[in-house]
Amino acid sequence: MSEDQKPDDADRDVTPEERFAASEADSPVSAVREPTTADQTIYAKTPKSAAKSAASETGEIFKTIVFALLIAMVLRIFLFQPFTIPSASMEPNLYEGDYIVVTKWSYGFSKHSIPFSPPLFDGRILGSAPKRGDIVVFKLPRDNKTDFIKRVIGLPGDRVQMIANKLYINDRPVQDVLVSRREIEDIFGPRPVSEVRETLPEGKSFMTQDFGPGNDLDDTPVYEVPVGHYFMMGDNRDNSIDSRVEQSSGVGMVPAENLVGKAQIILFSWKPGSSLWNPVSWFNVRLNRFFNVLH
């Protein structure tokens, strides 16, 4: 072929190597470029976005905690409240270290249903009267702060008295039956103790504990229960500061407004000296008292 007949570049065949090189040059994926001002702006904003995300997560955690506290507060005010028994005044039915649940709706709601008893209103909302024989948590009338637990013995208008170690309601002796005698050791040393089953006029029956005649509260004057008040006694009759002791140094008459709730069940029970903060004592429990319904 003469030089005049040589094909120009457009007419000649393209080798595979040339096709590959052309393809690589045209491909946007393989293109390499320097970061633009826009790219730098995006990169500069990334730490701020991370900070905003962290703040958002913190806010969500805070809201979750607030909602959880509100739910717990509603449950505590309107439904249930736990209490730990601090003394022996309700033996043999409640022992020191028993952990009980109180229902708040049983007698309606007062300012004492709310933590710290804020003076938001007087009286009770949706109130209903306790029955004789109920075990009740109430605020001590002389300070309206301290939680006490006793049994309702006298209703409004009742006359209550102890004569020779025997309980009288409205001038009639309460039926009682000796169940057992044993000896216990307390801060006063070894002492004989009797367990007596009492039956109230309406038929409610429960065990009481007594150290025998001759104790300070075995003979009392007649107590007349005012309207809107209740007369409370501990089941441990000779080891209970209750309505038999005047309000200035004891309990006196308990206003209906001071009722917190009705004790329903023992969830679990620790022996004295046990503590949540002392892991060694966690197994120092009374298993036979778990989930006992109170009567």
Side-chain angles (χ1 to χ4, degrees), residues 170-190:
N170 295 325
D171 305 317
R172 294 185 178 183
V174 170
Q175 179 184 344
D176 56 17
V177 177
L178 177 65
V179 175
S180 66
R181 284 193 177 95
R182 57 191 176 93
E183 189 174 88
I184 66 170
E185 188 162 349
D186 56 17
I187 59 173
F188 302 104

Side-chain angles (χ1 to χ4, degrees), residues 30 48 63 81 90 93 122 158 165 186 205 214 221-222 230 236 246 271 274:
S30 63
K48 293 183 180 179
K63 285 194 291 185
Q81 186 172 348
M90 287 296 291
N93 299 298
D122 295 323
D158 281 346
N165 201 33
D186 56 17
S205 182
V222 176
Y230 296 92
N236 194 352
E246 62 182 11
K271 294 179 182 178
S274 302

Side-chain angles (χ1 to χ4, degrees), residues 63-123:
K63 285 194 291 185
T64 300
I65 292 173
V66 169
F67 286 140
L69 290 174
L70 288 174
I71 291 170
M73 186 70 69
V74 169
L75 291 175
R76 187 184 185 280
I77 293 174
F78 296 103
L79 298 179
F80 306 100
Q81 186 172 348
F83 289 91
T84 302
I85 304 302
S87 72
S89 70
M90 287 296 291
E91 290 184 2
N93 299 298
L94 287 171
Y95 282 82
E96 181 181 352
D98 284 350
Y99 192 85
I100 66 170
V101 172
V102 169
T103 49
K104 303 295 288 289
W105 69 83
S106 297
Y107 310 126
F109 309 97
S110 73
K111 64 183 180 183
H112 297 300
S113 302
I114 306 170
F116 309 111
S117 303
L120 300 178
F121 59 93
D122 295 323

Side-chain angles (χ1 to χ4, degrees), residues 34-49:
E34 292 295 325
T36 65
T37 303
D39 294 330
Q40 294 172 358
T41 303
I42 293 172
Y43 297 151
K45 289 184 177 179
T46 300
K48 293 183 180 179
S49 300

Side-chain angles (χ1 to χ4, degrees), residues 54-287:
S56 178
E57 289 182 6
T58 302
E60 289 299 320
I61 292 172
F62 178 76
K63 285 194 291 185
T64 300
I65 292 173
V66 169
F67 286 140
L69 290 174
L70 288 174
I71 291 170
M73 186 70 69
V74 169
L75 291 175
R76 187 184 185 280
I77 293 174
F78 296 103
L79 298 179
F80 306 100
Q81 186 172 348
F83 289 91
T84 302
I85 304 302
S87 72
S89 70
M90 287 296 291
E91 290 184 2
N93 299 298
L94 287 171
Y95 282 82
E96 181 181 352
D98 284 350
Y99 192 85
I100 66 170
V101 172
V102 169
T103 49
K104 303 295 288 289
W105 69 83
S106 297
Y107 310 126
F109 309 97
S110 73
K111 64 183 180 183
H112 297 300
S113 302
I114 306 170
F116 309 111
S117 303
L120 300 178
F121 59 93
D122 295 323
R124 303 195 73 85
I125 297 174
L126 303 176
S128 58
K131 296 179 181 178
R132 195 194 312 275
D134 286 357
I135 299 176
V136 173
V137 171
F138 58 91
K139 296 293 184 182
L140 186 65
R142 71 169 179 264
D143 65 12
N144 289 324
K145 295 179 181 179
T146 307
D147 292 311
F148 263 49
I149 184 166
K150 304 292 179 186
R151 192 181 296 272
V152 177
I153 295 298
L155 303 177
D158 281 346
R159 293 164 51 88
V160 181
Q161 187 178 17
M162 294 290 294
I163 302 176
N165 201 33
K166 192 174 184 68
L167 174 62
Y168 284 73
I169 298 177
N170 295 325
D171 305 317
R172 294 185 178 183
V174 170
Q175 179 184 344
D176 56 17
V177 177
L178 177 65
V179 175
S180 66
R181 284 193 177 95
R182 57 191 176 93
E183 189 174 88
I184 66 170
E185 188 162 349
D186 56 17
I187 59 173
F188 302 104
R191 293 196 291 169
V193 63
S194 300
E195 289 194 354
V196 178
R197 178 170 290 280
E198 287 188 354
T199 303
L200 297 176
E202 293 81 3
K204 182 70 173 282
S205 182
F206 54 92
M207 298 296 295
T208 63
Q209 185 168 286
D210 191 88
F211 290 100
N215 289 288
D216 292 342
L217 299 176
D218 286 342
D219 290 277
T220 70
V222 176
Y223 303 96
E224 296 187 359
V225 185
V227 174
H229 291 72
Y230 296 92
F231 190 93
M232 307 290 188
M233 290 180 67
D235 293 342
N236 194 352
R237 292 296 165 76
D238 293 320
N239 189 17
S240 174
I241 303 299
D242 48 40
S243 292
R244 293 172 292 176
V245 182
E246 62 182 11
Q247 187 178 113
S248 60
S249 56
V251 173
M253 302 296 171
V254 178
E257 184 179 56
N258 284 48
L259 303 183
V260 174
K262 181 180 179 182
Q264 298 283 6
I265 191 171
I266 302 171
L267 280 186
F268 62 88
S269 180
W270 274 335
K271 294 179 182 178
S274 302
S275 170
L276 182 63
W277 312 113
N278 180 13
V280 176
S281 69
W282 289 355
F283 299 99
N284 193 18
V285 297
R286 305 181 184 102
L287 291 175

